[in-house]
Amino acid sequence: YQWNEDLSSALNRLVGLIEIVLRNQFHHALSRHYPVGATGASTDWYQHIRLSGKSLDSVRALTHENDGRGPLKTSPPNPDDVVAKQTFGFWPYVLDVQRDMAGNPLPWGDILLGVLPGHRQTDRSYWAVRAHRDALFARIDLCGRLRNRLAHHEPIWKLGKLREETRARDGREPKVLEQPPRKPAEALARLQLIYDRLTELLQWLSPEVAHEYLTR
């Protein structure tokens, strides 16, 4: 139990940093591309892209009357407040949005260059490819699933199958790369892999925050 608590504590700090930086990076990058009627750096970009499902419901619950079922509030909340109230699970599904409210394709190639300034891929054409966005989704989702395990105090070393970093598409599940760990050494190796992937994600999002985290 002590071992699990120590591991969880160490991972929780990293996950917390990723959650804050991820939220801010998406917010800032999308605000730059959808500055409609803005008077500052933060905009209500979520009103100008075609969110759907739970993502749309989550935003409307804050911006519209009657818990999202009525019209837009006369004095809607500040964009920073709306964004701060979104759960971790909101952000990877933003990548599913294909068009804005004007019917134009979202320029993900440009947007993700702003979200991921530390990523080795700096060509906007790279992020315009759905498979590459799916890999990013999987990396963010890895962090989200770990966050939920930590929040529910689950044994952090009890891990499932390791799959390729992509999403299920057209009935095809991501390929299984490794079976669940069966020995302590295997569990530690998997945890090290997860830690390495998450520190890399933090590096993609903010080289400065990642440097501070790794050198503190």
Side-chain angles (χ1 to χ4, degrees), residues 172-192:
R172 177 186 177 277
E173 291 294 323
K175 181 181 178 181
V176 175
L177 303 178
E178 291 181 8
Q179 294 299 319
R182 299 178 61 186
K183 301 176 181 179
E186 293 174 353
L188 282 172
R190 179 71 64 79
L191 286 168
Q192 182 66 55

Side-chain angles (χ1 to χ4, degrees), residues 51-154:
L51 294 170
S52 61
K54 293 181 179 179
S55 299
L56 179 61
D57 292 343
S58 179
V59 169
R60 287 182 61 92
L62 300 169
T63 60
H64 287 63
E65 302 286 354
N66 196 22
D67 291 328
R69 294 185 295 274
L72 182 69
K73 292 179 178 178
T74 305
S75 298
N78 183 283
D80 290 341
D81 294 333
V82 173
V83 167
K85 288 182 171 63
Q86 301 311 311
T87 65
F88 190 98
F90 174 87
W91 299 107
Y93 286 97
V94 171
L95 295 170
D96 284 341
V97 180
Q98 297 299 310
R99 294 185 179 275
D100 61 27
M101 298 304 289
N104 302 310
L106 254 67
W108 278 120
D110 292 320
I111 293 169
L112 288 176
L113 287 181
V115 175
L116 305 168
H119 200 281
R120 60 188 175 276
Q121 296 291 345
T122 58
D123 189 334
R124 60 176 54 86
S125 64
Y126 179 86
W127 294 113
V129 177
R130 188 177 72 171
H132 297 154
R133 298 198 301 275
D134 282 354
L136 175 61
F137 179 102
R139 183 67 63 96
I140 297 172
D141 187 56
L142 169 67
C143 187
R145 286 185 284 110
L146 178 62
R147 178 188 182 279
N148 292 340
R149 289 177 64 85
L150 292 168
H152 291 95
H153 306 288
E154 296 180 25

Side-chain angles (χ1 to χ4, degrees), residues 13 17 202-203 206-216:
R13 179 167 175 260
L17 283 173
L202 184 59
Q203 168 71 28
S206 174
E208 296 80 11
V209 174
H211 176 75
E212 183 179 353
Y213 167 75
L214 292 169
T215 56
R216 177 175 292 183

Side-chain angles (χ1 to χ4, degrees), residues 5-68:
E5 182 180 344
D6 290 344
L7 287 171
S8 298
S9 178
L11 289 168
N12 197 53
R13 179 167 175 260
L14 174 58
V15 168
L17 283 173
I18 291 172
E19 180 166 12
I20 293 169
V21 177
L22 177 74
R23 177 192 71 198
N24 291 345
Q25 289 295 87
F26 266 103
H27 183 34
H28 296 157
L30 285 161
S31 290
R32 287 193 293 271
H33 283 272
Y34 293 96
V36 182
T39 57
S42 297
T43 77
D44 60 348
W45 52 265
Y46 41 82
Q47 302 286 17
H48 304 283
I49 66 174
R50 292 186 180 178
L51 294 170
S52 61
K54 293 181 179 179
S55 299
L56 179 61
D57 292 343
S58 179
V59 169
R60 287 182 61 92
L62 300 169
T63 60
H64 287 63
E65 302 286 354
N66 196 22
D67 291 328

